[in-house]
Amino acid sequence: MMTPALHAAVETIMREASERAILPRYQALALSDIDNKAVDDVVTIADKEAEAMLTERLSALLPEASVVGEEACFADMTVMERLKDRLCWIVDPLDGTNNFAAGKPPFGVLVALADRGEILGGWILDCLSGRFCRADAGGGAWIDGERITARTTGEEPPLAAISTLFLDPEAREKIRAHIAPHYRLVDIPRCAAEQYPRLVVGVNDISVFNRTLPWDHAAGVLFLNEAGGKAARPDGSPYRADEYERSDLIGAASPALWDAFAEIVARIG
């Protein structure tokens, strides 16, 4: 299934969605083009138009596959159930929407293909730079057509991008007291389409995610693991696209960095 022709077709579809639905709206949104989905979470007309385009084109590419899109799930959460029993495209039409709505980078498009929760392929487009990452299960990871192997920052202490946005005060205090002394904490980009590549190209060593919805993570987890880094649940179990009720995920530029961080997390609970 994961053929060069399929990879090329998915890339073409994603770039067209970016060029036609997203980039023309960048730094040109009217207030009426932005809606609030939740506290500190917005959706724009670009999200909706891009998802419609991606859904139509990906459905034509593989008619046997359903589409699970972020905005479709926001409208009807039962769409998520498709992940449990069938072949599915998983679509984040505009990852980093809050950045996009504020007129700043990073933001991108994420697409994955999963069969009953097992991630088969992942594609990540940075809309502004055009950087294109892809991976397929057992087939390695690639950036702009060149095979890539994950590398660490080489810094000591290692660099950790940890989001505390959705954590309660007790969890934030645990990070400050037990994790911060062993790592240099850096800002998160609020964009998985940027955060996962950072773990591969030597910008960050560790990333921690509390919410692990499939459109944010399916493509990035596969990309990082196929590049030789490691993304997994804190107990070491693999990330699956159909386990969307679970929280917490650790990504690292190398298995050794992952092991060291997971040991600290296990100690502090």
Side-chain angles (χ1 to χ4, degrees):
M1 179 178 292
M2 304 306 299
T3 64
L6 181 66
H7 280 297
V10 174
E11 180 176 357
T12 295
I13 290 168
M14 293 172 69
R15 290 191 183 280
E16 288 183 355
S18 174
E19 291 164 6
R20 292 171 55 190
I22 297 173
L23 290 177
R25 306 276 188 180
Y26 182 51
Q27 298 179 336
L29 291 169
L31 288 178
S32 59
D33 294 331
I34 307 170
D35 293 317
N36 290 312
K37 293 168 68 173
V39 176
D40 200 31
D41 188 12
V42 301
V43 62
T44 73
I45 190 171
D47 297 73
K48 297 172 184 177
E49 291 184 352
E51 182 161 313
M53 292 178 60
L54 290 162
T55 298
E56 179 182 4
R57 295 287 303 281
L58 292 171
S59 295
L61 184 61
L62 282 183
E64 67 271 30
S66 296
V67 179
V68 176
E70 179 179 4
E71 304 314 323
C73 290
F74 179 73
D76 178 7
M77 285 300 292
T78 64
V79 172
M80 297 277 278
E81 296 173 7
R82 299 173 185 171
L83 293 166
K84 296 180 181 292
D85 60 8
R86 68 190 77 175
L87 185 69
C88 288
W89 294 106
I90 304 170
V91 174
D92 189 336
L94 178 49
D95 183 57
T97 300
N98 280 43
N99 297 334
F100 178 82
K104 64 181 183 181
F107 54 89
V109 181
L110 293 164
V111 173
L113 184 65
D115 187 9
R116 289 164 292 182
E118 180 183 356
I119 307 164
L120 306 178
W123 300 268
I124 307 172
L125 172 65
D126 182 303
C127 296
L128 287 176
S129 72
R131 180 189 64 200
F132 192 78
C133 306
R134 68 170 176 87
D136 55 325
W142 307 74
I143 297 180
D144 295 332
E146 299 291 331
R147 188 153 187 170
I148 189 78
T149 299
R151 61 180 185 271
T152 69
T153 65
E155 296 196 24
E156 191 58 43
L159 273 59
I162 301 177
S163 172
T164 61
L165 188 63
F166 302 104
L167 298 180
D168 59 38
E170 181 182 357
R172 290 193 182 100
E173 177 57 25
K174 285 182 178 180
I175 289 174
R176 188 198 66 78
H178 300 286
I179 293 178
H182 303 284
Y183 297 89
R184 180 155 69 88
L185 302 185
V186 297
D187 290 338
I188 64 165
R190 293 204 67 181
C191 175
E194 171 66 16
Q195 200 150 354
Y196 280 102
R198 286 185 182 186
L199 292 169
V200 171
V201 301
V203 175
N204 291 158
D205 293 303
I206 297 286
S207 288
V208 180
F209 308 93
N210 181 245
R211 294 200 308 178
T212 61
L213 293 165
W215 44 80
D216 288 326
H217 297 283
V221 164
L222 183 66
F223 176 67
L224 178 57
N225 284 332
E226 286 294 326
K230 183 173 180 178
R233 301 292 186 180
D235 63 2
S237 60
Y239 177 86
R240 292 180 55 85
D242 57 351
E243 295 180 340
Y244 44 81
E245 302 94 343
R246 296 182 66 181
S247 61
D248 298 328
L249 179 66
I250 301 170
S254 74
L257 282 167
W258 192 97
D259 289 344
F261 190 87
E263 182 179 349
I264 294 173
V265 171
R267 286 203 307 266
I268 66 175

